[in-house]
Amino acid sequence: VRHLAVIGIGAGDPDQITLQAVAALNRLDVLFVVDKPGEAAELSRFRDEIRRRHLARGGVEVVRIRDAARDRAASAYGDAVKFWRAERARAWERAIGAELGDGDRGGFLVWGDPALYDGTISVLERVRAGGRLRFELEVIPGVSSVHALAARHGIALNRIGGAVQITTGRRLRAGMPTDADDVVVMLDPSCTFAELAHDDLDIYWGAYLGTPDELLVAGPVAEVADEIRRLRREARTRKGWVMDTYLLRRRHGRRSVDA
Ligand SMILES: C[S@@+](CC[C@H](N)C(=O)[O-])C[C@H]1O[C@@H](n2cnc3c(N)ncnc32)[C@H](O)[C@@H]1O
């Protein structure tokens, strides 16, 4: 039976890869590299650097998979993502079937941790559900951008006994969740925090975490929102892409035990 490993490699700092991930990388016969249309060249350079730094032998075969293009303009967001994932599954199934023999080990490197806003596991589950390809699946956790954010700001994500919610900029547009006072926001190109009623909100923001371009800002949203927007705009102009994550915290938490 074929063996597939989904390996978390950290969110930007090549030192933030676990020993388990390095060992898994070095067991691979085939490394599948998914070329995502529109992905910043810097991100694929990071994956190359991981390979260069952590692959002890040069022997792993690299197989590139051309990813299906995603229709980001589609109005039915959910349907567009479903269609795109089905297309991806077909391409991945073809590549795995053609390049990985019985008993071989294949792997995918995943940005941050594979369990957070990453489609790799679900695409592979879809391939498996198709029933034409049998494989064992192993997931190796990685340091996520959420954990890198908390570490760089020197904070815990939760307050005593409190809940933490991880969500997206798209969802935050509906307002600050009412059932959590500490909310981590990913995938938010629109700086949605600035549009919320934010009298009582602090923000801990980080961009390009773990990289030499890292940016960090923390403070009351009312005071630092403009600065974050300016830094984000300038960085986007300079580099052409931005990856940022932030924690929003109700100063006078409604729910945490120590509020
Ligand atoms: C497709 S998700 C992937 C998340 C990834 N699996 C993880 O564990 O961090 C991409 C989002 O992750 C966040 N992100 C990933 N790397 C980051 C970094 N180095 N600095 C700040 N945010 C990052 C951003 O919110 C970005 O929009």
Side-chain angles (χ1 to χ4, degrees):
V1 63
R2 297 172 174 92
H3 185 279
L4 286 177
V6 176
I7 306 171
I9 55 172
D13 181 343
D15 280 346
Q16 280 174 5
I17 185 168
T18 66
L19 297 176
Q20 192 183 28
V22 172
L25 190 58
N26 281 287
R27 279 196 300 269
L28 298 182
D29 300 298
V30 178
L31 178 63
F32 293 99
V33 175
V34 182
D35 289 323
K36 299 187 181 170
E39 183 179 70
E42 240 176 294
L43 300 193
S44 58
R45 272 204 297 278
F46 175 75
R47 286 199 197 89
D48 291 346
E49 190 181 341
I50 291 279
R51 289 215 301 272
R52 243 193 341 272
R53 279 171 67 156
H54 298 296
L55 210 55
R57 60 188 165 89
V60 67
E61 185 192 345
V62 175
V63 171
R64 309 197 90 86
I65 303 178
R66 238 196 120 54
D67 221 355
R70 177 162 156 196
D71 181 4
R72 286 182 184 275
S75 54
Y77 181 75
D79 284 349
V81 170
K82 260 189 224 147
F83 179 76
W84 172 63
R85 289 211 162 141
E87 285 281 288
R88 294 177 94 184
R90 278 192 282 277
W92 294 29
E93 181 176 321
R94 274 195 302 274
I96 298 165
E99 305 290 344
L100 208 63
D102 194 31
D104 284 350
R105 290 177 171 269
F108 291 82
L109 303 187
V110 170
W111 194 256
D113 181 78
L116 262 182
Y117 294 111
D118 183 88
T120 308
I121 293 174
S122 73
V123 174
L124 291 174
E125 286 301 354
R126 185 184 277 268
V127 171
R128 184 158 37 200
R132 289 173 296 271
L133 210 61
R134 273 168 33 87
F135 55 86
E136 282 167 2
L137 183 64
E138 180 189 16
V139 179
I140 315 277
V143 175
S144 74
S145 54
V146 177
H147 295 95
L149 175 79
R152 294 297 288 132
H153 282 289
I155 55 169
L157 293 174
N158 68 290
R159 282 168 291 170
I160 301 170
V164 179
Q165 189 172 122
I166 301 178
T167 189
T168 65
R170 177 181 288 266
R171 287 188 172 276
L172 190 68
R173 273 185 233 152
M176 182 76 178
T178 51
D179 52 354
D181 292 321
D182 294 276
V183 177
V184 178
V185 184
M186 306 175 80
L187 296 159
D188 182 14
S190 314
C191 294
T192 308
F193 55 83
E195 287 148 37
L196 305 174
H198 50 231
D199 286 354
D200 190 38
L201 286 183
D202 288 333
I203 185 168
Y204 298 84
W205 177 80
Y208 314 106
L209 290 157
T211 76
D213 295 304
E214 183 176 88
L215 297 168
L216 298 171
V217 175
V221 173
E223 287 170 26
V224 298
D226 287 347
E227 182 192 354
I228 294 174
R229 279 202 291 211
R230 180 181 56 77
L231 285 172
R232 203 179 189 285
R233 223 178 15 250
E234 287 171 2
R236 179 176 260 305
T237 309
R238 198 170 61 244
K239 290 175 62 73
W241 61 284
V242 191
M243 279 221 291
D244 59 340
T245 306
Y246 54 91
L247 170 74
L248 286 177
R249 167 161 289 172
R250 275 197 189 93
R251 216 166 300 133
H252 304 98
R254 298 178 193 173
R255 307 228 155 222
S256 26
V257 172
D258 64 339

